[in-house]
Short mmCIF file of all heavy atoms in Angstrom, two decimals:
data_model
loop_
_atom_site.label_atom_id
_atom_site.label_comp_id
_atom_site.label_asym_id
_atom_site.label_seq_id
_atom_site.Cartn_x
_atom_site.Cartn_y
_atom_site.Cartn_z
N ILE A 81 -2.23 -10.83 -16.16
CA ILE A 81 -1.68 -9.49 -16.36
C ILE A 81 -0.56 -9.20 -15.36
O ILE A 81 0.49 -8.66 -15.72
CB ILE A 81 -2.80 -8.43 -16.24
CG1 ILE A 81 -3.74 -8.52 -17.44
CG2 ILE A 81 -2.21 -7.03 -16.15
CD1 ILE A 81 -4.92 -7.58 -17.37
N LEU A 82 -0.78 -9.59 -14.09
CA LEU A 82 0.22 -9.31 -13.08
C LEU A 82 1.47 -10.16 -13.25
O LEU A 82 2.49 -9.90 -12.61
CB LEU A 82 -0.38 -9.50 -11.69
CG LEU A 82 -1.46 -8.49 -11.29
CD1 LEU A 82 -1.87 -8.71 -9.85
CD2 LEU A 82 -1.01 -7.05 -11.49
N GLY A 83 1.40 -11.18 -14.10
CA GLY A 83 2.57 -11.99 -14.38
C GLY A 83 3.30 -11.54 -15.64
O GLY A 83 4.24 -12.19 -16.08
N THR A 84 2.87 -10.42 -16.19
CA THR A 84 3.47 -9.90 -17.42
C THR A 84 4.59 -8.93 -17.10
O THR A 84 4.43 -8.05 -16.25
CB THR A 84 2.40 -9.17 -18.26
OG1 THR A 84 1.34 -10.08 -18.54
CG2 THR A 84 3.00 -8.67 -19.57
N GLU A 85 5.71 -9.08 -17.76
CA GLU A 85 6.84 -8.19 -17.52
C GLU A 85 6.52 -6.79 -18.01
O GLU A 85 6.20 -6.57 -19.19
CB GLU A 85 8.08 -8.73 -18.24
CG GLU A 85 9.36 -8.01 -17.87
CD GLU A 85 10.57 -8.64 -18.51
OE1 GLU A 85 10.99 -9.73 -18.05
OE2 GLU A 85 11.09 -8.07 -19.50
N SER A 86 6.57 -5.81 -17.09
CA SER A 86 6.18 -4.45 -17.44
C SER A 86 6.61 -3.49 -16.35
O SER A 86 6.67 -3.85 -15.16
CB SER A 86 4.66 -4.37 -17.61
OG SER A 86 4.22 -3.03 -17.70
N ARG A 87 6.86 -2.25 -16.74
CA ARG A 87 7.14 -1.20 -15.74
C ARG A 87 5.87 -0.79 -15.01
O ARG A 87 5.94 -0.04 -14.03
CB ARG A 87 7.77 0.01 -16.42
CG ARG A 87 9.22 -0.19 -16.86
CD ARG A 87 9.83 1.13 -17.32
NE ARG A 87 9.93 2.08 -16.23
CZ ARG A 87 11.02 2.25 -15.48
NH1 ARG A 87 12.11 1.53 -15.69
NH2 ARG A 87 11.04 3.16 -14.51
N ARG A 88 4.72 -1.27 -15.46
CA ARG A 88 3.47 -0.90 -14.79
C ARG A 88 3.38 -1.51 -13.39
O ARG A 88 2.53 -1.12 -12.59
CB ARG A 88 2.27 -1.32 -15.63
CG ARG A 88 2.16 -0.52 -16.93
CD ARG A 88 0.83 -0.73 -17.60
NE ARG A 88 -0.27 -0.23 -16.78
CZ ARG A 88 -1.55 -0.37 -17.10
NH1 ARG A 88 -1.89 -1.00 -18.22
NH2 ARG A 88 -2.51 0.11 -16.31
N HIS A 89 4.28 -2.44 -13.06
CA HIS A 89 4.31 -2.97 -11.70
C HIS A 89 4.75 -1.89 -10.70
O HIS A 89 4.52 -2.05 -9.50
CB HIS A 89 5.22 -4.18 -11.63
CG HIS A 89 4.67 -5.37 -12.37
ND1 HIS A 89 3.61 -6.10 -11.91
CD2 HIS A 89 5.01 -5.91 -13.57
CE1 HIS A 89 3.32 -7.06 -12.78
NE2 HIS A 89 4.16 -6.96 -13.79
N PHE A 90 5.30 -0.79 -11.19
CA PHE A 90 5.62 0.34 -10.32
C PHE A 90 4.35 0.96 -9.74
O PHE A 90 4.42 1.71 -8.76
CB PHE A 90 6.41 1.40 -11.09
CG PHE A 90 7.88 1.08 -11.26
CD1 PHE A 90 8.29 0.11 -12.16
CD2 PHE A 90 8.85 1.75 -10.53
CE1 PHE A 90 9.64 -0.19 -12.33
CE2 PHE A 90 10.20 1.47 -10.68
CZ PHE A 90 10.60 0.48 -11.59
N ASP A 91 3.19 0.68 -10.33
CA ASP A 91 1.92 1.18 -9.79
C ASP A 91 1.69 0.73 -8.35
O ASP A 91 0.93 1.35 -7.61
CB ASP A 91 0.73 0.70 -10.65
CG ASP A 91 0.71 1.31 -12.03
OD1 ASP A 91 1.48 2.25 -12.28
OD2 ASP A 91 -0.09 0.84 -12.87
N LEU A 92 2.34 -0.36 -7.96
CA LEU A 92 2.16 -0.89 -6.62
C LEU A 92 2.45 0.16 -5.55
O LEU A 92 1.76 0.24 -4.53
CB LEU A 92 3.08 -2.10 -6.43
CG LEU A 92 3.01 -2.83 -5.09
CD1 LEU A 92 1.64 -3.46 -4.88
CD2 LEU A 92 4.09 -3.91 -5.01
N PHE A 93 3.46 1.00 -5.79
CA PHE A 93 3.84 2.00 -4.79
C PHE A 93 2.75 3.05 -4.63
O PHE A 93 2.44 3.48 -3.51
CB PHE A 93 5.17 2.64 -5.17
CG PHE A 93 6.27 1.62 -5.34
CD1 PHE A 93 6.81 1.36 -6.59
CD2 PHE A 93 6.74 0.90 -4.26
CE1 PHE A 93 7.80 0.42 -6.77
CE2 PHE A 93 7.75 -0.05 -4.41
CZ PHE A 93 8.27 -0.29 -5.67
N ASP A 94 2.16 3.49 -5.73
CA ASP A 94 1.08 4.47 -5.65
C ASP A 94 -0.12 3.90 -4.91
O ASP A 94 -0.78 4.60 -4.14
CB ASP A 94 0.64 4.91 -7.05
CG ASP A 94 1.72 5.68 -7.78
OD1 ASP A 94 2.57 6.30 -7.11
OD2 ASP A 94 1.73 5.66 -9.03
N GLN A 95 -0.40 2.60 -5.13
CA GLN A 95 -1.56 2.00 -4.46
C GLN A 95 -1.35 1.96 -2.95
O GLN A 95 -2.28 2.25 -2.18
CB GLN A 95 -1.84 0.59 -5.01
CG GLN A 95 -1.97 0.50 -6.53
CD GLN A 95 -3.15 1.28 -7.11
OE1 GLN A 95 -3.75 2.13 -6.46
NE2 GLN A 95 -3.48 0.99 -8.36
N TYR A 96 -0.16 1.61 -2.51
CA TYR A 96 0.07 1.59 -1.06
C TYR A 96 0.16 3.00 -0.47
O TYR A 96 -0.23 3.22 0.69
CB TYR A 96 1.31 0.76 -0.71
CG TYR A 96 0.98 -0.71 -0.60
CD1 TYR A 96 1.38 -1.62 -1.56
CD2 TYR A 96 0.22 -1.18 0.48
CE1 TYR A 96 1.04 -2.97 -1.46
CE2 TYR A 96 -0.12 -2.52 0.59
CZ TYR A 96 0.29 -3.41 -0.39
OH TYR A 96 -0.06 -4.73 -0.29
N ASP A 97 0.63 3.96 -1.23
CA ASP A 97 0.58 5.34 -0.76
C ASP A 97 -0.88 5.75 -0.51
O ASP A 97 -1.18 6.45 0.47
CB ASP A 97 1.21 6.29 -1.78
CG ASP A 97 2.73 6.31 -1.71
OD1 ASP A 97 3.29 5.89 -0.67
OD2 ASP A 97 3.36 6.75 -2.69
N ARG A 98 -1.79 5.29 -1.38
CA ARG A 98 -3.21 5.59 -1.18
C ARG A 98 -3.74 4.94 0.10
O ARG A 98 -4.52 5.53 0.84
CB ARG A 98 -4.02 5.12 -2.39
CG ARG A 98 -3.76 5.90 -3.67
CD ARG A 98 -4.66 5.43 -4.81
NE ARG A 98 -4.49 6.27 -5.98
CZ ARG A 98 -3.78 5.93 -7.06
NH1 ARG A 98 -3.19 4.73 -7.10
NH2 ARG A 98 -3.66 6.75 -8.08
N VAL A 99 -3.31 3.71 0.35
CA VAL A 99 -3.75 3.01 1.56
C VAL A 99 -3.31 3.77 2.81
O VAL A 99 -4.11 4.00 3.73
CB VAL A 99 -3.20 1.57 1.59
CG1 VAL A 99 -3.47 0.92 2.95
CG2 VAL A 99 -3.82 0.73 0.48
N PHE A 100 -2.05 4.17 2.86
CA PHE A 100 -1.55 4.85 4.06
C PHE A 100 -2.13 6.25 4.19
O PHE A 100 -2.34 6.73 5.32
CB PHE A 100 -0.03 4.87 4.06
CG PHE A 100 0.58 3.52 4.36
CD1 PHE A 100 1.23 2.79 3.37
CD2 PHE A 100 0.47 2.97 5.63
CE1 PHE A 100 1.77 1.55 3.65
CE2 PHE A 100 1.01 1.72 5.92
CZ PHE A 100 1.66 1.01 4.93
N ALA A 101 -2.41 6.91 3.07
CA ALA A 101 -3.09 8.21 3.14
C ALA A 101 -4.49 8.04 3.73
O ALA A 101 -4.95 8.87 4.52
CB ALA A 101 -3.16 8.85 1.75
N PHE A 102 -5.16 6.97 3.35
CA PHE A 102 -6.49 6.69 3.90
C PHE A 102 -6.38 6.40 5.40
O PHE A 102 -7.18 6.90 6.19
CB PHE A 102 -7.11 5.50 3.17
CG PHE A 102 -8.55 5.25 3.52
CD1 PHE A 102 -9.57 5.89 2.82
CD2 PHE A 102 -8.90 4.38 4.53
CE1 PHE A 102 -10.90 5.68 3.15
CE2 PHE A 102 -10.22 4.16 4.87
CZ PHE A 102 -11.23 4.81 4.18
N LEU A 103 -5.40 5.62 5.79
CA LEU A 103 -5.21 5.28 7.20
C LEU A 103 -4.92 6.53 8.02
O LEU A 103 -5.35 6.62 9.19
CB LEU A 103 -4.06 4.28 7.34
CG LEU A 103 -3.72 3.81 8.75
CD1 LEU A 103 -4.90 3.09 9.39
CD2 LEU A 103 -2.51 2.88 8.71
N ASP A 104 -4.24 7.50 7.45
CA ASP A 104 -3.94 8.74 8.16
C ASP A 104 -5.20 9.44 8.65
O ASP A 104 -5.17 10.18 9.64
CB ASP A 104 -3.13 9.69 7.27
CG ASP A 104 -1.70 9.21 7.05
OD1 ASP A 104 -1.23 8.37 7.83
OD2 ASP A 104 -1.07 9.67 6.08
N GLY A 105 -6.31 9.24 7.94
CA GLY A 105 -7.57 9.87 8.32
C GLY A 105 -8.40 9.06 9.27
O GLY A 105 -9.55 9.43 9.56
N LEU A 106 -7.86 7.94 9.78
CA LEU A 106 -8.61 7.06 10.69
C LEU A 106 -7.80 6.84 11.97
O LEU A 106 -7.17 5.79 12.16
CB LEU A 106 -8.88 5.71 10.02
CG LEU A 106 -9.79 5.69 8.80
CD1 LEU A 106 -9.83 4.28 8.20
CD2 LEU A 106 -11.20 6.15 9.16
N PRO A 107 -7.78 7.82 12.86
CA PRO A 107 -6.98 7.66 14.08
C PRO A 107 -7.39 6.44 14.91
O PRO A 107 -6.54 5.86 15.60
CB PRO A 107 -7.25 8.97 14.85
CG PRO A 107 -8.48 9.55 14.23
CD PRO A 107 -8.47 9.12 12.81
N GLU A 108 -8.66 6.01 14.81
CA GLU A 108 -9.10 4.86 15.58
C GLU A 108 -8.48 3.56 15.08
O GLU A 108 -8.51 2.53 15.78
CB GLU A 108 -10.63 4.75 15.54
CG GLU A 108 -11.23 4.43 14.18
CD GLU A 108 -11.45 5.64 13.30
OE1 GLU A 108 -10.89 6.72 13.61
OE2 GLU A 108 -12.19 5.53 12.31
N ALA A 109 -7.92 3.58 13.85
CA ALA A 109 -7.30 2.38 13.28
C ALA A 109 -5.78 2.46 13.28
O ALA A 109 -5.11 1.63 12.67
CB ALA A 109 -7.81 2.16 11.85
N GLU A 110 -5.23 3.43 13.99
CA GLU A 110 -3.78 3.66 13.97
C GLU A 110 -2.99 2.43 14.41
O GLU A 110 -1.92 2.15 13.90
CB GLU A 110 -3.44 4.86 14.84
CG GLU A 110 -1.95 5.22 14.87
CD GLU A 110 -1.39 5.56 13.50
OE1 GLU A 110 -2.16 6.04 12.64
OE2 GLU A 110 -0.18 5.34 13.29
N ARG A 111 -3.53 1.67 15.34
CA ARG A 111 -2.78 0.51 15.84
C ARG A 111 -2.62 -0.59 14.78
O ARG A 111 -1.84 -1.53 14.97
CB ARG A 111 -3.43 -0.05 17.09
CG ARG A 111 -4.78 -0.71 16.90
CD ARG A 111 -5.35 -1.15 18.24
NE ARG A 111 -6.64 -1.80 18.14
CZ ARG A 111 -6.81 -3.10 17.95
NH1 ARG A 111 -5.75 -3.89 17.83
NH2 ARG A 111 -8.02 -3.63 17.88
N LEU A 112 -3.35 -0.45 13.67
CA LEU A 112 -3.22 -1.43 12.59
C LEU A 112 -2.10 -1.07 11.62
O LEU A 112 -1.79 -1.84 10.72
CB LEU A 112 -4.54 -1.53 11.83
CG LEU A 112 -5.75 -2.00 12.63
CD1 LEU A 112 -7.01 -1.95 11.78
CD2 LEU A 112 -5.53 -3.41 13.17
N ARG A 113 -1.49 0.09 11.81
CA ARG A 113 -0.46 0.55 10.87
C ARG A 113 0.70 -0.45 10.73
O ARG A 113 1.13 -0.74 9.61
CB ARG A 113 0.04 1.92 11.27
CG ARG A 113 0.99 2.56 10.24
CD ARG A 113 1.43 3.96 10.68
NE ARG A 113 0.31 4.88 10.72
CZ ARG A 113 -0.10 5.61 9.69
NH1 ARG A 113 0.54 5.52 8.53
NH2 ARG A 113 -1.11 6.43 9.82
N PRO A 114 1.26 -0.99 11.84
CA PRO A 114 2.37 -1.94 11.66
C PRO A 114 2.00 -3.15 10.82
O PRO A 114 2.81 -3.62 10.01
CB PRO A 114 2.72 -2.33 13.10
CG PRO A 114 2.28 -1.17 13.93
CD PRO A 114 1.03 -0.68 13.27
N LEU A 115 0.77 -3.67 10.99
CA LEU A 115 0.36 -4.83 10.21
C LEU A 115 0.20 -4.46 8.73
O LEU A 115 0.63 -5.22 7.84
CB LEU A 115 -0.95 -5.40 10.76
CG LEU A 115 -1.55 -6.59 10.00
CD1 LEU A 115 -0.54 -7.72 9.84
CD2 LEU A 115 -2.81 -7.09 10.71
N LEU A 116 -0.38 -3.30 8.45
CA LEU A 116 -0.52 -2.86 7.06
C LEU A 116 0.85 -2.60 6.44
O LEU A 116 1.07 -2.90 5.26
CB LEU A 116 -1.39 -1.61 6.99
CG LEU A 116 -2.88 -1.84 7.22
CD1 LEU A 116 -3.60 -0.51 7.42
CD2 LEU A 116 -3.50 -2.59 6.04
N PHE A 117 1.76 -2.07 7.23
CA PHE A 117 3.13 -1.85 6.73
C PHE A 117 3.79 -3.18 6.41
O PHE A 117 4.45 -3.33 5.35
CB PHE A 117 3.93 -1.09 7.78
CG PHE A 117 5.34 -0.78 7.37
CD1 PHE A 117 5.61 0.27 6.51
CD2 PHE A 117 6.39 -1.54 7.82
CE1 PHE A 117 6.91 0.56 6.11
CE2 PHE A 117 7.70 -1.27 7.45
CZ PHE A 117 7.96 -0.22 6.58
N LEU A 118 3.63 -4.16 7.29
CA LEU A 118 4.16 -5.50 7.03
C LEU A 118 3.62 -6.06 5.73
O LEU A 118 4.38 -6.60 4.91
CB LEU A 118 3.78 -6.43 8.19
CG LEU A 118 4.03 -7.93 7.98
CD1 LEU A 118 5.51 -8.22 8.01
CD2 LEU A 118 3.30 -8.75 9.04
N ARG A 119 2.31 -5.91 5.50
CA ARG A 119 1.69 -6.42 4.27
C ARG A 119 2.25 -5.69 3.05
O ARG A 119 2.51 -6.31 2.01
CB ARG A 119 0.18 -6.25 4.34
CG ARG A 119 -0.49 -7.04 5.46
CD ARG A 119 -0.32 -8.53 5.27
NE ARG A 119 -1.17 -9.02 4.20
CZ ARG A 119 -0.98 -10.17 3.57
NH1 ARG A 119 0.03 -10.94 3.88
NH2 ARG A 119 -1.81 -10.55 2.62
N ALA A 120 2.46 -4.39 3.17
CA ALA A 120 2.99 -3.61 2.04
C ALA A 120 4.41 -4.07 1.68
O ALA A 120 4.72 -4.30 0.49
CB ALA A 120 2.99 -2.12 2.38
N ILE A 121 5.26 -4.22 2.68
CA ILE A 121 6.65 -4.60 2.41
C ILE A 121 6.72 -6.04 1.90
O ILE A 121 7.50 -6.36 0.99
CB ILE A 121 7.52 -4.39 3.66
CG1 ILE A 121 7.45 -2.93 4.11
CG2 ILE A 121 8.96 -4.78 3.36
CD1 ILE A 121 7.78 -1.91 3.03
#
C-alpha cells in the first residue's frame, strides 16, 4: 500500500504532527525532540 502512488501519502504530515503534540505533553522527554525531529525529516 505504501508503495502505491497516491495523495494519501500526505497523511504522513498529520501523523508526525500527532507525535509532536504528544511529545509536548511529556516535558521529561523533551531532550528526545531533536532525535524525533531527525526521524520525521
Side-chain angles (χ1 to χ4, degrees):
I81 290 176
L82 293 185
T84 303
E85 189 175 286
S86 169
R87 287 189 65 94
R88 293 192 64 185
H89 292 287
F90 281 74
D91 292 349
L92 182 64
F93 304 111
D94 294 334
Q95 307 297 15
Y96 275 108
D97 280 341
R98 292 183 174 103
V99 171
F100 286 109
F102 189 88
L103 180 62
D104 288 342
L106 295 175
E108 66 275 15
E110 181 60 28
R111 68 184 181 88
L112 298 175
R113 188 178 295 271
L115 177 54
L116 287 168
F117 181 79
L118 169 72
R119 297 296 286 161
I121 302 306

